Amino acid sequence: MSELPPYDSSESDESDPRDPNGVFDEIVEAETDRDPDLAVIEAGSRTLRAQGSAAQRVDVPARPADPETDKALREVEADLATRWGETKLEPSVSRIAALMDVLGEPQRAYPSIHITGTNGKTSTARMIEALLGAFDLRTGRYTSPHVQSVTERISLDGTPISAERFIETYEDIKPYVEMVDSQQEYRLSFFEVLTAMAYAAFADAPVDVAVVEVGMGGSWDATNVIDGAVAVVTPIDLDHTDRLGTTPGEIATEKAGIVKQDANVILAQQPVDAAQVLLKKAVEVDATVAREGLEFGVVARQVAVGGQLVTLRGLGGEYEEIFLPLHGAYQAHNAAVALAAVEAFFGVGAAHAQSLDIDTVRKAFASVTSPGRLEIVRRSPTVVLDAAHNPAGARATAEAVSEVFDFSRLIGVVGASADKDVRGLLEAFEPIFSEVVVTRNSSHRAMDVDELAGIAVEIFGEDRVQVEPRLDDAIEAAITLAEEESEYSGGGVLVTGSVITVGEARLLLGRR
């Protein structure tokens, strides 16, 4: 049972004292066009037992406090929602190129670092952004998807742009968007419009450098109207196989599209067939390549309180005793890739051999955050959120959990998207989950909970699977299981399966 009784709004005219900012009411009110139960899930119908979490850096923005601003933002969000979603694609950059043309090519106003790959893109982008900012460069970062607020996708100087600026940017480009819409066979998509907003906001700031993560693939991704001076490819694995290919090599062919003439290419460790494709593309365009494990990499790492201590070999030499406040070997590898990308941007290893200032590098890495990536949101029992949504990501997360945490019993809460390799994801987690609670998030892409349960039973066995259609019930059930017996005082909960699931869990658990 929860330590807090259910709150009945019919008993009082006062707001729920456990939600003093009224976030719950705001979100429910905004979801009037959706299933009321799902709206309640997203809003956080329970505070569970976890609202006493420690203060955190606010890099996932809440709803605007000003009612008029909030209303205007909701109108923009509703307008964007009328467009093709991110999973409906027409493989072409013709529409975004046309829009860039009428906007005056804002993406040409600054140099860019372009990032593709299957996993690790957002964390790597955040590390690159932190490093560039530490060296006094003004940065713009564009990443996707968002954890809780669409404004997270566009950041200036390491901070999501304000709701006011998001609205202004949309209103500024809207007439041009409508002009292009009228001239194209298909209207610009949700992602295309957001990409244009990011590029326009960066030019308006103005930024010294943009750090841009592809949405999907590379060649025909909407972001690919930039000419990245540095192209970064994080590890490639199987995901979006219906659109990108069924082998790492096929997927790499699409992702290699971000490698432009004379660029610097930073390659994370890759499957052999993917590496061959990427290296061939680099040769074709006279790009300079740096490969993890050869030109740069992780020299040493050890688990530390709140993260890990790493020694990295960059293009300009070794960087020792760097504290990275993120968990898992994969984050150390992301850090090595980020460091090499920034070195390449500054010309280290080409124009000059001198390494970057070590104290500045240490300061930058120590400041890195990555919401929803092995993020601890409460203690006793420990609840961890991780946005792993494909088998490769799940395997990396499972390895990191085993390394970092000493759970005597780990309960999984899994809400996945129907278009993902859910079986592969669950198989990756099976060795570390004592039991799994299957659920769903509020997205229309979410897998039916009964279908998810059927797959889970095949993998875990019926006795280890519990079904809770509502996410708040699923988290509550998992916490109860983690605390069920005194011998399991070291129990924990891992909420995973989808960025959307993690974002909604953050709201439920009081993280804003």
Side-chain angles (χ1 to χ4, degrees), residues 468-491:
E468 293 290 351
R470 291 169 56 113
L471 181 57
D472 57 345
D473 289 336
I475 297 173
E476 181 76 9
I479 289 174
T480 299
L481 286 170
E483 295 179 326
E484 200 166 55
E485 299 176 33
S486 58
E487 66 180 290
Y488 294 129
S489 58

Side-chain angles (χ1 to χ4, degrees), residues 17 190 230 255 269 296 320 465 497 501:
F190 168 87
V230 178
K255 293 184 183 294
Q269 292 179 342
F296 70 93
E320 298 179 340
V465 178
T501 299

Side-chain angles (χ1 to χ4, degrees), residues 297-504:
V298 179
V299 175
R301 58 179 293 271
Q302 61 186 71
V303 176
V305 176
Q308 54 191 306
L309 196 64
V310 299
T311 295
L312 305 177
R313 178 162 53 84
L315 305 180
E318 283 197 4
Y319 299 78
E320 298 179 340
E321 296 186 349
I322 295 170
F323 175 68
L324 182 65
L326 301 174
H327 300 292
Y330 68 96
Q331 293 289 19
H333 290 283
N334 289 340
V337 170
L339 177 61
V342 173
E343 286 183 310
F345 181 79
F346 284 130
V348 174
H352 56 84
Q354 184 178 357
S355 60
L356 301 177
D357 178 71
I358 183 63
D359 290 333
T360 305
V361 169
R362 286 171 178 156
K363 179 181 177 182
F365 276 121
S367 71
V368 171
T369 62
S370 195
R373 276 74 179 179
L374 279 181
E375 180 184 16
I376 300 171
V377 293
R378 68 156 282 174
R379 300 283 188 181
S380 190
T382 298
V383 177
V384 182
L385 308 181
D386 191 86
H389 56 273
N390 56 46
R395 288 191 295 271
T397 296
E399 180 183 343
V401 167
S402 298
E403 174 187 79
V404 176
F405 302 99
D406 188 24
F407 293 127
S408 59
R409 184 185 195 191
L410 179 62
I411 311 301
V413 175
V414 178
S417 297
D419 59 348
K420 297 295 182 180
D421 180 1
V422 176
R423 179 177 295 277
L425 181 138
L426 289 173
E427 287 174 344
F429 282 126
E430 191 277 333
I432 69 167
F433 286 166
S434 301
E435 295 166 75
V436 63
V437 182
V438 297
T439 187
R440 62 164 292 156
N441 57 54
S442 65
S443 169
H444 67 279
R445 295 172 56 200
M447 175 172 279
D448 176 78
V449 71
D450 291 329
E451 182 180 356
L452 179 56
I455 299 172
V457 167
E458 292 178 15
I459 295 167
F460 289 83
E462 188 172 351
D463 292 343
R464 294 169 63 196
V465 178
Q466 182 169 331
V467 181
E468 293 290 351
R470 291 169 56 113
L471 181 57
D472 57 345
D473 289 336
I475 297 173
E476 181 76 9
I479 289 174
T480 299
L481 286 170
E483 295 179 326
E484 200 166 55
E485 299 176 33
S486 58
E487 66 180 290
Y488 294 129
S489 58
V493 174
L494 175 63
V495 183
T496 189
S498 163
V499 175
I500 298 169
T501 299
V502 165
E504 294 178 359

Side-chain angles (χ1 to χ4, degrees), residues 14 67 74 86 89 96 138 161 174 219 271 273 278 388 448 456:
E14 299 296 324
R74 293 187 192 282
E86 291 172 278
L89 304 167
I96 186 70
R138 185 158 207 214
I161 65 172
K174 185 177 180 180
S219 295
D273 57 343
L278 294 165
D448 176 78

Side-chain angles (χ1 to χ4, degrees), residues 219 248-257 277-278:
S219 295
E250 291 177 357
I251 294 171
T253 301
E254 171 59 31
K255 293 184 183 294
V277 169
L278 294 165

Side-chain angles (χ1 to χ4, degrees), residues 84-90 216 240 242-243 419 444-445:
W84 275 4
E86 291 172 278
T87 59
K88 186 173 183 180
L89 304 167
E90 195 273 321
M216 184 187 300
H240 302 295
D242 56 330
R243 298 177 177 90
D419 59 348
H444 67 279
R445 295 172 56 200

Side-chain angles (χ1 to χ4, degrees), residues 255-274:
K255 293 184 183 294
I258 74 163
V259 178
K260 305 297 174 59
Q261 188 71 36
D262 300 321
N264 287 285
V265 183
I266 307 300
L267 296 183
Q269 292 179 342
Q270 303 290 347
V272 173
D273 57 343

